[in-house]
């Protein structure tokens, strides 16, 4: 990483910012904004996580309705191809750096929907994943543990899914196109244009 | 004579008394609001069969060619269509359509069952009786491939286009084969030798 030039496409790690990098990482870790897009059945674990008992606001985490301002994307449960299209578009709208946490076994390997025709089996073929919580369903404690893991990784600098997405974009794009067919973004956009 | 005893060698089987077959009686309708309701409907529609399952649950069986006529009649008593569900009887080569009706005035739930052949399954639409039928018919069309004649919006609805062509709720839809072609085989669940079996 240190050999990167300033005109590289990842211009974030400019040499002059290296000095403040630990400070930035600490600040990023302490103010995670979750994209409020509950994509599967794990969305019901969000209310107990947010309310009085497990109150995640005390860690500086808040759900945020705008993907442009969020940096933590929770994939809560199974992902269907239809949802995956929206997830990819939302993920690409988010600013760098952005982190992905997946809940439960469904995004990891299909879970109980392993032979279902409309559940995506391996989520990390389509988008990079930073932390995965196994098991169904993770309790709020497990989700919080995953978030703490993300925080640790941010501080280490190992939560680099957003970098991997840029560096291996051809791989991810190829898998997405294999699942949805070529030109799915344009087709989808055309379909929803009437509603905007 | 003991029932389990086998007929002896010399004995003719015809000598034994043939088992008396009891005549099938029409099920008696109970003297409740459900029974009265069924009797009232069946009086106008003698081609249908009807019985009472339990409290607040009645059932009708109707031949497929007169289903529309029957539902039009039944809609006087059963004002609301709750659901159109489909059962795929693969061995018999038939689809069973179940129209679930709710009588608001009497608080009775009715199943109206009818069977149609699986090949080129066609039904008249009931949108003119209950406009809400449009959604259920689109769903049945998408998942089972039944054509509802007269419904203007039949077409891709919930599924992705490639699934829409296959009708994934049919019993002969090979789910695992489909999953392998779409999502690939490169992970543990599909290891058929079970060396890396996950569940």
């Amino acid at each position: 990483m240190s050999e990167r030039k300033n005109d590289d496409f990842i211009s974030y790690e400019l040499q002059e910012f290296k000095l403040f990098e630990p400070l930035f990482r600490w600040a990023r870790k302490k103010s995670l904004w979750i994209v409020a897009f509950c994509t599967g059945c794990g969305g019901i674990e969000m209310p107990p996580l947010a309310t009085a008992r497990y109150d995640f606001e005390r860690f500086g985490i808040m759900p945020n309705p705008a993907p442009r301002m969020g940096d933590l994307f929770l994939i809560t449960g199974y992902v269907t191809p239809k949802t995956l299209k929206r997830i990819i578009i939302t993920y690409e709208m988010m600013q760098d750096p952005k982190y992905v946490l997946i809940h439960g076994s469904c995004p990891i390997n299909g879970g109980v929907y392993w032979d279902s025709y409309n559940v995506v089996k391996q989520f990390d073929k389509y988008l990079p994943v930073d932390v995965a919580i196994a098991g169904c369903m993770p309790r709020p404690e497990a989700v919080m543990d995953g978030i703490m893991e993300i925080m640790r990784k941010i501080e280490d600098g190992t939560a680099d899914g957003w970098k991997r997405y840029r560096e291996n974009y051809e791989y991810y794009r190829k898998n997405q196109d294999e699942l949805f067919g070529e030109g799915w973004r344009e087709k989808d956009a055309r379909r929803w244009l009437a509603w905007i | 004579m003991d029932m389990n005893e086998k007929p002896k060698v010399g004995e003719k089987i015809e000598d034994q008394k043939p088992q008396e077959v009891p005549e099938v009686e029409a099920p008696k309708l109970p003297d409740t609001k459900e029974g009265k309701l069924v009797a009232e409907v069946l009086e106008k529609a003698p081609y249908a069969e009807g019985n009472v399952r339990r409290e607040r649950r009645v059932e009708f069986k109707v031949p497929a060619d007169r289903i529309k006529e029957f539902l039009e009649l039944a809609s006087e008593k059963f004002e609301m269509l709750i659901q159109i569900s489909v059962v795929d009887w693969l061995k018999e080569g038939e689809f069973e359509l179940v129209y679930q009706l709710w009588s608001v005035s009497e608080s009775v739930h009715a199943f109206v069952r009818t069977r149609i052949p699986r090949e080129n399954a066609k039904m008249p639409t009931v949108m003119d009786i209950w406009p809400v039928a449009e959604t259920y018919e689109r769903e049945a069309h998408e998942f089972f491939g039944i054509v509802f004649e007269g419904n203007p919006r039949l077409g891709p609805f919930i599924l992705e286009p490639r699934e829409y062509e296959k009708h994934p709720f049919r019993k002969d839809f090979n789910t695992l084969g489909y999953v392998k072609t779409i999502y690939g085989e490169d992970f543990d669940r599909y290891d058929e030798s079970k060396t890396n079996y996950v569940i």
Side-chain angles (χ1 to χ4, degrees):
Chain A
M1 286 294 163
S2 57
E3 292 165 16
R4 286 194 185 289
K5 291 172 190 171
N6 286 359
D7 59 343
D8 203 300
F9 65 95
I10 302 172
S11 55
Y12 193 80
E13 295 205 43
L14 290 174
Q15 209 60 36
E16 55 264 40
F17 284 108
K18 277 286 177 194
L19 181 62
F20 301 107
E21 197 54 32
L23 176 66
F24 290 166
R25 280 176 184 167
W26 179 84
R28 250 179 251 141
K29 155 194 158 177
K30 288 289 182 187
S31 64
L32 287 173
W33 293 66
I34 297 176
V35 178
F37 179 19
C38 294
T39 53
C41 41
I44 51 165
E45 298 293 335
M46 288 292 106
L49 190 61
T51 48
R53 187 163 178 189
Y54 295 106
D55 187 18
F56 61 14
E57 201 184 336
R58 63 199 155 119
F59 300 111
I61 305 164
M62 276 292 278
N64 177 15
R68 296 271 186 210
M69 286 181 247
D71 46 10
L72 179 57
F73 201 174
L74 299 185
I75 309 299
T76 55
Y78 62 83
V79 178
T80 62
K82 260 194 173 174
T83 324
L84 185 57
K85 282 182 189 171
R86 276 77 182 162
I87 289 174
I88 290 168
I89 290 166
T90 312
Y91 182 79
E92 288 177 358
M93 273 192 217
M94 287 161 65
Q95 297 187 75
D96 293 341
K98 46 197 173 185
Y99 314 104
V100 175
L101 172 71
I102 58 176
H103 281 218
S105 31
C106 297
I108 300 172
N109 59 5
V112 292
Y113 306 111
W114 62 282
D115 67 343
S116 170
Y117 60 91
N118 64 348
V119 172
V120 169
K121 312 302 171 210
Q122 277 172 305
F123 182 78
D124 52 354
K125 271 167 77 174
Y126 308 101
L127 283 181
V129 173
D130 292 312
V131 172
I133 308 167
C136 176
M137 276 307 303
R139 293 272 308 139
E141 296 97 316
V143 179
M144 271 186 352
D145 191 50
I147 292 174
M148 304 292 268
E149 184 64 35
I150 283 250
M151 288 178 169
R152 251 171 263 136
K153 283 190 151 192
I154 292 171
E155 196 142 41
D156 297 348
T158 47
D160 57 349
W162 57 282
K163 277 185 212 166
R164 277 184 281 134
Y165 190 61
R166 288 187 162 197
E167 284 163 6
N168 308 310
Y169 187 64
E170 292 78 24
Y171 168 78
Y172 291 113
R173 186 64 190 258
K174 185 183 70 88
N175 287 337
Q176 291 164 9
D177 283 352
E178 261 173 28
L179 185 59
F180 303 129
E182 295 276 336
W184 61 273
R185 282 159 209 269
E186 292 75 16
K187 255 184 234 166
D188 221 52
R190 214 171 300 135
R191 198 169 152 200
W192 290 103
L193 212 58
W195 297 88
I196 296 170
Chain B
M1 189 181 159
D2 187 6
M3 292 300 285
N4 295 330
E5 202 177 314
K6 285 180 184 174
K8 285 165 193 172
V9 181
E11 198 177 359
K12 282 181 185 175
I13 299 172
E14 284 87 343
D15 289 349
Q16 296 174 4
K17 267 190 177 177
Q19 207 178 359
E20 286 183 13
V21 181
E23 284 180 20
V24 180
E25 291 176 18
K28 278 183 184 172
L29 296 170
D31 191 23
T32 55
K33 69 172 178 187
E34 294 88 6
K36 280 171 195 163
L37 198 61
V38 173
E40 207 173 318
V41 173
L42 289 186
E43 199 182 331
K44 291 178 193 166
Y47 48 83
E49 294 169 36
N51 64 317
V52 178
R53 267 204 176 179
R54 58 173 170 80
E55 200 186 340
R56 299 207 286 170
R57 175 68 54 83
V58 301
E59 198 175 17
F60 296 100
K61 276 184 188 174
V62 188
D65 49 340
R66 309 191 76 165
I67 185 77
K68 187 141 188 186
E69 190 183 332
F70 180 85
L71 288 175
E72 220 148 28
L73 193 79
S75 66
E76 291 165 15
K77 291 287 167 191
F78 299 91
E79 295 92 344
M80 192 171 145
L81 176 72
I82 301 175
Q83 173 117 53
I84 302 172
S85 50
V86 186
V87 188
D88 188 359
W89 297 98
L90 187 61
K91 282 181 189 167
E92 294 153 44
E94 283 177 332
F95 282 130
E96 184 173 25
L97 269 87
V98 186
Y99 291 81
Q100 298 185 33
L101 314 179
W102 175 252
S103 171
V104 181
S105 50
E106 306 272 347
S107 298
V108 176
H109 188 167
F111 285 2
V112 181
R113 296 168 186 280
T114 180
R115 289 209 176 198
I116 50 173
R118 237 166 146 270
E119 295 293 317
N120 300 322
K122 273 181 196 171
M123 281 298 276
T125 178
V126 291
M127 268 178 68
D128 43 350
I129 309 173
W130 298 284
V132 71
E134 183 191 301
T135 310
Y136 304 133
E137 285 172 359
R138 287 175 79 185
E139 199 180 326
H141 170 71
E142 189 161 57
F143 285 106
F144 292 93
I146 301 169
V147 175
F148 289 89
E149 288 165 333
N151 189 325
R153 292 184 71 192
L154 289 186
F157 178 31
I158 299 168
L159 300 177
E160 297 275 311
R162 57 165 188 268
E163 287 148 13
Y164 168 76
E165 291 157 14
K166 305 253 177 163
H167 310 305
F169 277 15
R170 286 189 177 200
K171 284 274 167 66
D172 54 357
F173 175 71
N174 181 3
T175 322
L176 193 56
Y178 180 81
V179 164
K180 282 179 182 175
T181 53
I182 297 294
Y183 299 102
E185 307 184 28
D186 51 341
F187 45 105
D188 296 341
R189 291 298 173 100
Y190 302 133
D191 187 5
E192 273 152 18
S193 62
K194 308 269 193 298
T195 46
N196 291 314
Y197 207 56
V198 180
I199 1 180

